[in-house]
Amino acid sequence: KLNAGSADLVLGCDSLVTGDDLALSVMAPERSWVLVNTHEQITGHFTRDADLQFPSRDIAARIGAVAGPERVRFVDATRLATRLLGDSIATNLFMMGYAYQLGLIPVAADAIDQAIELNGVAVEMNRAAFAWGRRAALDAAAVQAIAEGAAPERAAPETLDEIVAH
């Protein structure tokens, strides 16, 4: 349980939940970072209203109004994780890797890796999801291209500067 406005990081693996009043209540401008999975997971209300539209813009506006738009990042983690790893369950670790790479999770990567191993469930997939999330935070376009099967051809780095940049 968090007090109002006390979250340093909100990992929004479900955008509807992230845009809900309860999640918004723990966010604060200039304090909270919010990472939101943009995957549109429609609710059961759709069964009663076939014309129901997913409120993506409203969700983004609500979150941005509370946390401040400069502290919110949106990523279609479900699509990327599913394309890269074959299973949408990898989304959560993908999001965690993304947050970790942005410096928003104050835990060593080795500790996260140990937790994945201790959990003992889909260890290699979860490690890969964490790594893909980290890479997406650094180079979203490259991860997108790989996920879409159109990875750009790159020459191998040759000089020390090229190796460091790579």
Side-chain angles (χ1 to χ4, degrees):
K1 294 199 173 209
L2 293 173
N3 293 327
S6 67
D8 295 318
L9 170 64
V10 175
L11 274 179
C13 296
D14 180 313
S15 61
L16 283 174
V17 173
T18 310
D20 188 54
D21 290 341
L22 181 60
L24 292 172
S25 73
V26 302
M27 298 176 199
E30 308 208 9
R31 177 183 182 125
S32 304
W33 281 95
V34 185
L35 303 181
V36 183
N37 179 13
T38 61
H39 178 70
E40 296 181 356
Q41 184 67 39
I42 201 70
T43 65
H45 296 295
F46 181 74
T47 60
R48 291 185 295 275
D49 181 358
D51 296 323
L52 185 66
Q53 298 293 311
F54 197 86
S56 298
R57 287 189 190 140
D58 292 342
I59 291 168
R62 285 173 55 95
I63 295 168
V66 173
E70 68 283 349
R71 295 181 72 88
V72 181
R73 301 282 187 280
F74 296 95
V75 59
D76 193 351
T78 299
R79 187 180 57 74
L80 292 171
T82 303
R83 295 283 306 214
L84 294 164
L85 299 161
D87 193 337
S88 65
I89 200 71
T91 301
N92 293 349
L93 264 292
F94 183 97
M95 292 285 291
M96 190 170 193
Y98 196 98
Y100 178 85
Q101 193 63 37
L102 294 177
L104 302 175
I105 297 181
V107 176
D110 288 342
I112 294 170
D113 187 67
Q114 281 184 320
I116 291 169
E117 188 171 336
L118 284 172
N119 184 47
V121 176
V123 173
E124 292 311 311
M125 181 185 72
N126 284 324
R127 284 179 170 151
F130 184 75
W132 277 115
R134 290 185 70 182
R135 179 144 187 221
L138 291 173
D139 190 350
V143 171
Q144 172 85 18
I146 293 166
E148 297 303 324
E153 291 292 324
R154 282 188 175 180
E158 295 177 5
T159 68
L160 178 59
D161 288 340
E162 289 173 343
I163 291 169
V164 169
H166 178 73

